[in-house]
PDB file of all heavy atoms in Angstrom:
ATOM      1  N   PRO A  58      99.701 113.672  94.741  1.00 96.00           N
ATOM      2  CA  PRO A  58      99.737 112.633  93.764  1.00 96.00           C
ATOM      3  C   PRO A  58     101.056 111.984  93.418  1.00 96.00           C
ATOM      4  O   PRO A  58     101.158 110.928  92.890  1.00 96.00           O
ATOM      5  CB  PRO A  58      99.137 113.315  92.527  1.00 96.00           C
ATOM      6  CG  PRO A  58      99.379 114.811  92.736  1.00 96.00           C
ATOM      7  CD  PRO A  58      99.223 114.988  94.227  1.00 96.00           C
ATOM      8  N   ARG A  59     102.163 112.618  93.832  1.00 96.00           N
ATOM      9  CA  ARG A  59     103.430 112.039  93.732  1.00 96.00           C
ATOM     10  C   ARG A  59     103.558 110.840  94.699  1.00 96.00           C
ATOM     11  O   ARG A  59     104.389 109.981  94.316  1.00 96.00           O
ATOM     12  CB  ARG A  59     104.544 113.048  93.939  1.00 96.00           C
ATOM     13  CG  ARG A  59     105.898 112.486  93.848  1.00 96.00           C
ATOM     14  CD  ARG A  59     106.992 113.533  93.819  1.00 96.00           C
ATOM     15  NE  ARG A  59     108.313 113.048  93.606  1.00 96.00           N
ATOM     16  CZ  ARG A  59     109.379 113.741  93.344  1.00 96.00           C
ATOM     17  NH1 ARG A  59     109.251 115.127  93.266  1.00 96.00           N
ATOM     18  NH2 ARG A  59     110.556 113.211  93.170  1.00 96.00           N
ATOM     19  N   ALA A  60     102.862 110.822  95.810  1.00 97.00           N
ATOM     20  CA  ALA A  60     103.218 109.861  96.834  1.00 97.00           C
ATOM     21  C   ALA A  60     101.987 109.100  97.222  1.00 97.00           C
ATOM     22  O   ALA A  60     102.101 107.983  97.851  1.00 97.00           O
ATOM     23  CB  ALA A  60     103.681 110.630  98.087  1.00 97.00           C
ATOM     24  N   ASP A  61     100.787 109.459  96.772  1.00 97.00           N
ATOM     25  CA  ASP A  61      99.580 108.857  97.307  1.00 97.00           C
ATOM     26  C   ASP A  61      98.582 108.620  96.166  1.00 97.00           C
ATOM     27  O   ASP A  61      98.555 109.458  95.113  1.00 97.00           O
ATOM     28  CB  ASP A  61      98.862 109.886  98.193  1.00 97.00           C
ATOM     29  CG  ASP A  61      97.585 109.465  98.886  1.00 97.00           C
ATOM     30  OD1 ASP A  61      97.077 108.308  98.570  1.00 97.00           O
ATOM     31  OD2 ASP A  61      97.053 110.282  99.599  1.00 97.00           O
ATOM     32  N   TRP A  62      97.936 107.426  96.138  1.00 97.00           N
ATOM     33  CA  TRP A  62      97.062 107.050  94.994  1.00 97.00           C
ATOM     34  C   TRP A  62      95.749 107.963  94.982  1.00 97.00           C
ATOM     35  O   TRP A  62      94.926 107.807  94.136  1.00 97.00           O
ATOM     36  CB  TRP A  62      96.770 105.608  95.083  1.00 97.00           C
ATOM     37  CG  TRP A  62      97.814 104.710  94.562  1.00 97.00           C
ATOM     38  CD1 TRP A  62      98.715 104.039  95.377  1.00 97.00           C
ATOM     39  CD2 TRP A  62      98.335 104.556  93.205  1.00 97.00           C
ATOM     40  NE1 TRP A  62      99.692 103.386  94.586  1.00 97.00           N
ATOM     41  CE2 TRP A  62      99.451 103.674  93.249  1.00 97.00           C
ATOM     42  CE3 TRP A  62      97.858 105.079  91.988  1.00 97.00           C
ATOM     43  CZ2 TRP A  62     100.064 103.300  92.108  1.00 97.00           C
ATOM     44  CZ3 TRP A  62      98.539 104.701  90.836  1.00 97.00           C
ATOM     45  CH2 TRP A  62      99.635 103.808  90.859  1.00 97.00           C
ATOM     46  N   LEU A  63      95.566 108.679  96.021  1.00 97.00           N
ATOM     47  CA  LEU A  63      94.394 109.584  96.221  1.00 97.00           C
ATOM     48  C   LEU A  63      93.048 108.905  96.128  1.00 97.00           C
ATOM     49  O   LEU A  63      92.099 109.349  95.503  1.00 97.00           O
ATOM     50  CB  LEU A  63      94.481 110.640  95.103  1.00 97.00           C
ATOM     51  CG  LEU A  63      95.740 111.487  95.053  1.00 97.00           C
ATOM     52  CD1 LEU A  63      95.661 112.548  93.941  1.00 97.00           C
ATOM     53  CD2 LEU A  63      96.045 112.163  96.359  1.00 97.00           C
ATOM     54  N   TYR A  64      93.024 107.700  96.742  1.00 98.00           N
ATOM     55  CA  TYR A  64      91.693 106.948  96.730  1.00 98.00           C
ATOM     56  C   TYR A  64      90.759 107.637  97.685  1.00 98.00           C
ATOM     57  O   TYR A  64      91.133 108.401  98.674  1.00 98.00           O
ATOM     58  CB  TYR A  64      91.928 105.550  97.214  1.00 98.00           C
ATOM     59  CG  TYR A  64      92.671 104.662  96.332  1.00 98.00           C
ATOM     60  CD1 TYR A  64      93.569 103.659  96.828  1.00 98.00           C
ATOM     61  CD2 TYR A  64      92.522 104.731  94.925  1.00 98.00           C
ATOM     62  CE1 TYR A  64      94.331 102.904  95.924  1.00 98.00           C
ATOM     63  CE2 TYR A  64      93.248 103.906  94.024  1.00 98.00           C
ATOM     64  CZ  TYR A  64      94.126 103.039  94.596  1.00 98.00           C
ATOM     65  OH  TYR A  64      94.757 102.217  93.683  1.00 98.00           O
ATOM     66  N   LYS A  65      89.469 107.414  97.389  1.00 98.00           N
ATOM     67  CA  LYS A  65      88.415 107.930  98.341  1.00 98.00           C
ATOM     68  C   LYS A  65      87.432 106.843  98.555  1.00 98.00           C
ATOM     69  O   LYS A  65      87.248 105.943  97.712  1.00 98.00           O
ATOM     70  CB  LYS A  65      87.722 109.239  97.620  1.00 98.00           C
ATOM     71  CG  LYS A  65      88.501 110.428  97.637  1.00 98.00           C
ATOM     72  CD  LYS A  65      87.689 111.591  97.072  1.00 98.00           C
ATOM     73  CE  LYS A  65      88.480 112.894  97.120  1.00 98.00           C
ATOM     74  NZ  LYS A  65      88.685 113.351  98.401  1.00 98.00           N
ATOM     75  N   THR A  66      86.794 106.874  99.729  1.00 98.00           N
ATOM     76  CA  THR A  66      85.775 105.928 100.033  1.00 98.00           C
ATOM     77  C   THR A  66      84.448 106.383  99.370  1.00 98.00           C
ATOM     78  O   THR A  66      84.247 107.525  99.040  1.00 98.00           O
ATOM     79  CB  THR A  66      85.500 105.791 101.518  1.00 98.00           C
ATOM     80  OG1 THR A  66      84.943 107.027 102.058  1.00 98.00           O
ATOM     81  CG2 THR A  66      86.790 105.497 102.307  1.00 98.00           C
ATOM     82  N   GLU A  67      83.601 105.440  99.152  1.00 98.00           N
ATOM     83  CA  GLU A  67      82.193 105.831  98.838  1.00 98.00           C
ATOM     84  C   GLU A  67      81.509 106.564 100.025  1.00 98.00           C
ATOM     85  O   GLU A  67      82.023 106.454 101.181  1.00 98.00           O
ATOM     86  CB  GLU A  67      81.361 104.536  98.529  1.00 98.00           C
ATOM     87  CG  GLU A  67      81.928 103.769  97.356  1.00 98.00           C
ATOM     88  CD  GLU A  67      81.872 104.514  96.059  1.00 98.00           C
ATOM     89  OE1 GLU A  67      80.808 104.716  95.488  1.00 98.00           O
ATOM     90  OE2 GLU A  67      83.029 104.827  95.554  1.00 98.00           O
ATOM     91  N   ALA A  68      80.496 107.229  99.747  1.00 98.00           N
ATOM     92  CA  ALA A  68      79.819 107.946 100.909  1.00 98.00           C
ATOM     93  C   ALA A  68      79.358 106.946 101.918  1.00 98.00           C
ATOM     94  O   ALA A  68      78.806 105.886 101.624  1.00 98.00           O
ATOM     95  CB  ALA A  68      78.557 108.656 100.338  1.00 98.00           C
ATOM     96  N   ASP A  69      79.772 107.194 103.219  1.00 98.00           N
ATOM     97  CA  ASP A  69      79.589 106.185 104.258  1.00 98.00           C
ATOM     98  C   ASP A  69      78.400 106.529 105.139  1.00 98.00           C
ATOM     99  O   ASP A  69      78.483 107.643 105.775  1.00 98.00           O
ATOM    100  CB  ASP A  69      80.848 106.037 105.107  1.00 98.00           C
ATOM    101  CG  ASP A  69      80.909 104.827 105.981  1.00 98.00           C
ATOM    102  OD1 ASP A  69      79.958 104.587 106.725  1.00 98.00           O
ATOM    103  OD2 ASP A  69      81.898 104.054 105.867  1.00 98.00           O
ATOM    104  N   PRO A  70      77.342 105.786 105.245  1.00 98.00           N
ATOM    105  CA  PRO A  70      76.182 106.134 106.065  1.00 98.00           C
ATOM    106  C   PRO A  70      76.603 106.325 107.559  1.00 98.00           C
ATOM    107  O   PRO A  70      75.988 107.198 108.177  1.00 98.00           O
ATOM    108  CB  PRO A  70      75.290 104.951 105.857  1.00 98.00           C
ATOM    109  CG  PRO A  70      75.688 104.240 104.605  1.00 98.00           C
ATOM    110  CD  PRO A  70      77.138 104.467 104.420  1.00 98.00           C
TER     111      PRO A  70
END
Side-chain angles (χ1 to χ4, degrees):
R59 179 170 184 170
D61 181 359
W62 286 105
L63 304 180
Y64 293 142
K65 289 183 176 292
T66 70
E67 300 297 292
D69 197 307

